Amino acid sequence: MRVLTSLMAIGLLCSTSMASAAERLTVYSYRQAFLIEPILADFTQKTGIEVDVVFSKKGIAERMAREGRLSKADIVLTSDFYRLMELVDKDLVIPATSEILQKNIPQKYRSPDDLWYALTMRVRNIYSSKERLGKLDINYEDLADTQYAGKICTRSGKHPYNVSLVASMIAHHGEADTKVWLEGVKANLARKPQGNDRAQVKAVSEGLCDLAIGNSYYLGKMLQDPKQKVWADAVEINFPNQDNRGAHINVSGMALAKHTKHKADAIELMEYLSGNSAQHTYADVNMEYPVKADVKPSKLVASWGQFKADALPVHQLAEHHHAAVKLLDEVQFNL
């Protein structure tokens, strides 16, 4: 009987250990593997918590909605603010309340109800031709000025980065004035909106336009790419609205999945992502600005100089998202 009892105890212990070993976090990520995998590997080494990742360029919210309670997602990582709002709108995330997160992430870069937290910041810069315009003291509003007629390149107005910029213009100027501004910017375009942010800098280097709208971290990545460095060398990076409200900020971020089965471990991972180690990796590997105030950007990014950021809380952009899309349609920006 003692032997049987001992065997049963050992069996139960093994069963429990195997179940524990099978408990793994699952991250659904819009962010790319080259950036995320080293960060998660370091988290696992430091905590012993294993992490699986599902990478996707699109459709994560739709997948989670389809999976419902059967979803394996514990955390979602997004590449922009729009994706965070999509998760909230579809009721796919729950609050992640944490003193560490609230300490590490400034209030204007997180949800008031703890539904999402920013991880990195991107400035929506205006690039200018070194040869034809040089360094500029410029505002977003100036893009509608007739002096830049036929000189501006940008990607689709409907891209989340640009929708976010238009939403910020509505927040500061109202819908009526923003529509007039959009009409002016469209009239100044050198070509139909197309390509990605890097393609706009390439167009400046080729003389197709003199100004380009693009996120800051793309310049750093182009400077490190031998084939694209010639494009980056042809432009100056300008931080807009430095004499008034400050440059528009978009963010990447994270949220706690609604049907997570491992809430405590998931929040621990979120805390790690907001901490110094992960924030330094975001800065050094992807040329993004850390959201944690005491973590400095990479040396290359720092060489562009300090800038004043728009004080508008990021969550307020969501209030104007639909209006921004409506205005872009009304002025037929992409046509």
Side-chain angles (χ1 to χ4, degrees), residues 140-215:
Y140 298 112
E141 290 81 356
D142 297 333
L143 295 175
D145 194 300
T146 54
Q147 68 175 308
Y148 298 123
K151 295 183 178 181
I152 300 173
C153 285
T154 183
R155 72 193 305 163
S156 168
K158 291 290 193 67
H159 189 277
Y161 297 155
N162 281 339
V163 173
S164 180
L165 174 60
V166 176
S168 75
M169 292 293 289
I170 294 173
H172 287 292
H173 298 293
E175 289 187 38
D177 286 348
T178 300
K179 183 176 181 179
V180 173
W181 174 75
L182 275 174
E183 291 171 336
V185 176
K186 180 185 177 182
N188 287 345
L189 294 180
R191 62 181 184 180
K192 178 181 177 180
Q194 59 191 268
N196 55 24
D197 279 7
R198 298 190 202 206
Q200 314 317 312
V201 174
K202 180 175 183 286
V204 173
S205 74
E206 294 174 345
L208 296 176
C209 44
D210 292 344
L211 293 174
I213 305 171
N215 278 357

